[in-house]
C-alpha cells in the first residue's frame, strides 16, 4: 500500500510555538491527540493506515518536536487551548481520536466547544492517577536530567509493572524512544492530578463516543480506574482490544487503526 505523505506544520500561540504532522485528503478531517511519552511520529503506523484518503492532523503536544516546553503555568487547560487552536485551523467538524492524557484533553476540548463530529478515546486517564510519592520521584529524576529513571518510574511506580517487565522493555528499541520523549512527563502527571474533570458534563457532549481499552489495562490500576470513570460519565460500553495493553499504537498499530476506523462515522 502506498501511503500519502505527511508534512510538518507549525502554529503560533500567544505563549508558544507548536508543531504537527498533517496530510491532505478529502472528507472530514481526523485529529489525533497522543498521550505521554509519545509524539506524532510515534503514531505513524496507526496514522498511515487510518482512513488514508482523509485529511489528518497529529499535533506534537508541548515539549516535543519543536513544540514549546511546558512552563510553570502548564496545565490540562493549556493543552485544551492548544487543541482548540489546532482544530480552528481546519474546515468544519472533525473526528477526534485521542489516547491516554490526550483523551482527557480531547474530552475537555469537546466539552468546551471543539466542533467534533465524533470522539474516540483509547485508555483515557484522569485523576487520581500517579500518587504523591511517584510524582515527587519523577520530578526529582526529571530535574536531575535522568530521563531513563523517569521511564523506569512511570512503568513501575505509576503503571505498576514488575521489574522483569521493565527489563524486557529496556531491551527493545522502544526504550530509547521513550527516554527521548520523557521530558514533559513530570509536568503532565502534575497537570493530570491538578485537573478536576467535569464528569457530570461529559455525558452531555452531544457527539458519538467510542471508548477503547487494552485487555491488560481495562481492569488494572491506574488505567482501569480511569477507563471506568470515563465509561460511567460518558454512558458508553468499553470496546476491549484483545491481548493489548496501554501501547497498542506501538504493539499492534494495524489492529488499533482498524478498530478506530470501524467505529468512525462516515466522513
Amino acid at each position: 500500500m502506498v501511503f500519502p505523505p505527511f508534512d510538518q506544520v507549525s502554529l503560533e500561540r500567544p505563549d508558544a510555538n507548536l508543531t504537527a504532522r498533517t496530510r491532505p485528503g478529502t472528507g472530514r478531517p481526523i485529529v489525533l491527540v497522543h498521550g505521554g511519552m509519545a509524539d506524532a511520529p510515534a503514531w505513524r503506523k496507526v496514522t498511515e493506515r487510518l482512513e488514508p484518503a482523509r485529511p489528518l492532523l497529529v499535533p506534537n503536544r508541548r515539549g516535543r518536536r519543536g513544540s514549546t516546553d511546558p512552563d510553570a503555568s502548564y496545565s490540562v487547560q493549556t493543552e485544551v487551548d492548544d487543541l482548540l487552536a489546532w482544530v480552528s485551523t481546519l474546515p468544519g467538524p472533525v473526528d477526534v481520536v485521542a489516547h491516554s492524557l490526550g483523551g482527557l484533553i480531547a474530552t475537555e476540548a469537546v466539552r468546551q466547544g471543539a466542533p467534533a463530529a465524533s470522539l474516540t478515546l483509547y485508555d483515557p486517564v484522569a485523576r487520581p492517577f500517579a500518587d504523591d510519592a511517584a510524582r515527587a520521584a519523577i520530578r526529582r529524576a526529571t530535574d536531575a536530567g535522568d530521563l531513563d529513571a523517569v521511564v523506569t518510574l512511570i512503568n513501575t511506580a505509576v503503571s505498576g509493572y514488575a521489574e522483569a517487565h521493565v527489563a524486557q522493555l529496556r531491551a527493545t528499541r522502544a526504550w530509547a524512544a521513550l527516554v527521548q520523549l520523557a521530558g514533559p512527563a513530570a509536568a503532565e502527571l502534575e497537570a493530570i492530578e491538578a485537573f478536576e474533570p467535569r464528569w457530570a458534563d461529559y455525558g452531555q457532549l452531544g457527539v458519538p463516543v467510542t471508548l477503547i481499552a487494552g485487555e491488560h489495562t481495562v481492569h488494572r490500576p491506574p488505567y482501569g480506574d480511569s477507563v471506568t470513570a470515563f465509561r460511567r460519565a460518558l454512558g458508553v460500553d468499553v470496546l476491549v482490544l484483545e491481548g493489548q495493553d496501554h501501547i497498542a499504537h506501538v504493539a499492534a498499530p494495524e489492529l488499533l487503526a482498524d478498530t478506530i476506523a470501524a467505529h468512525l462515522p462516515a466522513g
Side-chain angles (χ1 to χ4, degrees):
M1 180 181 292
V2 176
F3 298 108
F6 278 80
D7 293 318
Q8 180 154 303
V9 295
S10 61
L11 177 68
E12 291 289 338
R13 299 276 292 127
D15 64 337
N17 182 72
L18 306 175
T19 68
R21 292 183 83 224
T22 185
R23 74 167 182 230
T26 57
R28 188 169 56 248
I30 299 169
V31 177
L32 191 149
V33 190
H34 64 73
M37 292 195 299
D39 59 5
W43 280 76
R44 178 181 60 82
K45 291 184 179 180
V46 174
T47 55
E48 285 179 340
R49 188 177 178 92
L50 180 60
E51 298 286 326
R54 290 173 57 181
L56 190 146
L57 176 80
V58 191
N60 289 300
R61 294 196 297 98
R62 296 200 180 205
R64 301 153 171 92
R65 300 275 174 175
S67 289
T68 301
D69 290 341
D71 61 16
S73 67
Y74 175 80
S75 67
V76 169
Q77 187 60 48
T78 304
E79 295 278 11
V80 171
D81 291 340
D82 288 348
L83 179 55
L84 290 169
W86 278 117
V87 171
S88 73
T89 69
L90 301 172
V94 300
D95 290 313
V96 183
V97 178
H99 174 233
S100 195
L101 170 55
L104 177 60
I105 295 163
T107 304
E108 185 61 22
V110 173
R111 187 191 74 80
Q112 294 184 30
S118 70
L119 176 64
T120 300
L121 306 174
Y122 165 41
D123 273 358
V125 301
R127 63 177 295 188
F129 187 65
D131 64 28
D132 292 348
R135 296 199 318 277
I138 290 167
R139 171 53 67 189
R140 287 193 298 271
T142 300
D143 291 345
D146 190 354
L147 298 185
D148 189 280
V150 170
V151 178
T152 300
L153 286 163
I154 289 173
N155 277 276
T156 55
V158 178
S159 299
Y161 290 115
E163 293 288 350
H165 171 89
V166 176
Q168 291 177 342
L169 182 59
R170 188 186 293 274
T172 70
R173 289 184 297 177
W175 186 267
L178 293 172
V179 171
Q180 188 176 36
L181 292 166
E188 290 175 342
L189 291 171
E190 290 158 3
I192 292 170
E193 210 59 34
F195 185 78
E196 187 63 53
R198 299 282 290 271
W199 295 118
D201 294 342
Y202 291 170
Q204 304 173 37
L205 296 178
V207 301
V209 179
T210 300
L211 179 58
I212 301 170
E215 179 184 5
H216 303 309
T217 52
V218 68
H219 298 303
R220 194 189 78 226
Y223 303 105
D225 296 339
S226 289
V227 169
T228 297
F230 275 91
R231 174 181 62 79
R232 290 172 175 166
L234 294 165
V236 297
D237 294 329
V238 179
L239 182 63
V240 176
L241 286 178
E242 292 187 9
Q244 297 306 311
D245 210 316
H246 191 61
I247 55 170
H249 60 291
V250 175
E254 293 184 355
L255 171 64
L256 181 57
D258 291 349
T259 301
I260 294 168
H263 293 84
L264 287 178

